[in-house]
Amino acid sequence: MEISTLATYHCLAFVWYFFVAYSIAHIRTEERPSEVFLYGGQWKYLTVLNLVLQAVFYGVSFLADVLRLITKLRCAKCIISSRDLLFSVLAFPVSTFVSISFWTLYTYNRELVYPKSLDGIIPLWLNHAMHTAVLPFAVLEILATPHRYPAKKKGLILLGFVAFLYISWVLWIYSVTGEWVYPLFALFSPAGLAALFAGSLAIVISFYNFGEFLNRMIWGQSKFWF
């Protein structure tokens, strides 16, 4: 894909994610069901954090494209490296996990992840923007441009660290409020919850590996990534 076309795509994707994140962040306070927007507000939900992550990623990608057009790569390599690290370690595996896990649990029992009380507050298009569109966007990004993946050990350590931070945030909210971020967690014993978190991390790691596999299958082992 031509750099100018790629820059246009990344700019539009950034605007889209910024708009979606803005829309969910500015739901009127009086409309928010108290059982959902307690301590931590919407920032306790992985879905919302993922929207911010995607907006940051596409913003960095757009900046990298602009620098490539202006500087012929000399000043762009640092930004491109940041773009690739964001995509490989976080943007692709997290968005894939959010979409697949949400719709799997929603199909089984929506009250575990998305109470019916939200239907009158969050429009259907916004639900799909948060939980459905993130997956094709992630796949399209792999098709649009190659990404340099970090060494496996480094990538998994970074991914595990971010997962640890989010789990710590979830546990902190529970310690403060006595309520779980997702009703699903209340069904498990402490040992079962630990197993759930470990299993979820294993799934995210599998999505990381799958993204790396797709990137390699589509773009090969070329050393020219810029």
Side-chain angles (χ1 to χ4, degrees), residues 3-214:
I3 297 178
S4 57
T5 304
L6 196 61
T8 301
Y9 164 67
H10 284 148
C11 181
L12 292 174
F14 167 74
V15 171
W16 166 252
Y17 274 113
F18 182 87
F19 170 70
V20 174
Y22 179 88
S23 297
I24 192 67
H26 286 78
I27 293 175
R28 287 182 297 179
T29 304
E30 63 271 16
E31 293 180 344
R32 298 176 180 180
S34 59
E35 72 273 16
V36 175
F37 293 93
L38 290 169
Y39 183 86
Q42 65 267 36
W43 306 112
K44 61 186 176 181
Y45 297 108
L46 185 60
T47 295
V48 178
L49 295 176
N50 180 56
L51 293 176
V52 176
L53 168 65
Q54 301 303 319
V56 171
F57 165 70
Y58 282 105
V60 171
S61 297
F62 175 63
L63 177 60
D65 296 334
V66 171
L67 290 176
R68 289 170 68 189
L69 288 170
I70 295 174
T71 67
K72 305 298 184 182
L73 308 180
R74 291 183 181 180
C75 299
K77 290 186 178 181
C78 180
I79 302 299
I80 292 173
S81 295
S82 299
R83 176 203 70 183
D84 290 345
L85 192 64
L86 270 173
F87 180 77
S88 60
V89 175
L90 294 176
F92 182 84
V94 173
S95 60
T96 305
F97 177 79
V98 164
S99 183
I100 292 178
S101 62
F102 174 83
W103 287 113
T104 299
L105 291 170
Y106 186 97
T107 301
Y108 173 72
N109 182 356
R110 65 169 298 174
E111 294 299 319
L112 297 177
V113 290
Y114 194 82
K116 197 170 183 179
S117 58
L118 290 175
D119 285 347
I121 299 165
I122 299 178
L124 182 62
W125 73 265
L126 187 52
N127 182 20
H128 283 292
M130 294 188 296
H131 299 114
T132 307
V134 292
L135 182 55
F137 263 108
V139 174
L140 182 58
E141 177 63 22
I142 286 185
L143 297 174
T145 185
H147 296 85
R148 185 194 295 269
Y149 271 68
K152 181 75 71 174
K153 182 178 180 180
K154 177 182 178 181
L156 294 182
I157 288 175
L158 288 173
L159 179 58
F161 178 69
V162 173
F164 171 78
L165 290 179
Y166 180 68
I167 292 172
S168 297
W169 175 228
V170 168
L171 295 175
W172 172 259
I173 291 173
Y174 178 75
S175 72
V176 171
T177 67
E179 299 288 339
W180 288 110
V181 171
Y182 298 103
L184 169 69
F185 296 160
L187 302 178
F188 292 88
S189 66
L193 200 59
L196 176 65
F197 288 150
S200 297
L201 178 59
I203 292 173
V204 174
I205 289 174
S206 72
F207 291 146
Y208 170 93
N209 290 326
F210 181 61
E212 185 178 28
F213 169 77
L214 285 179

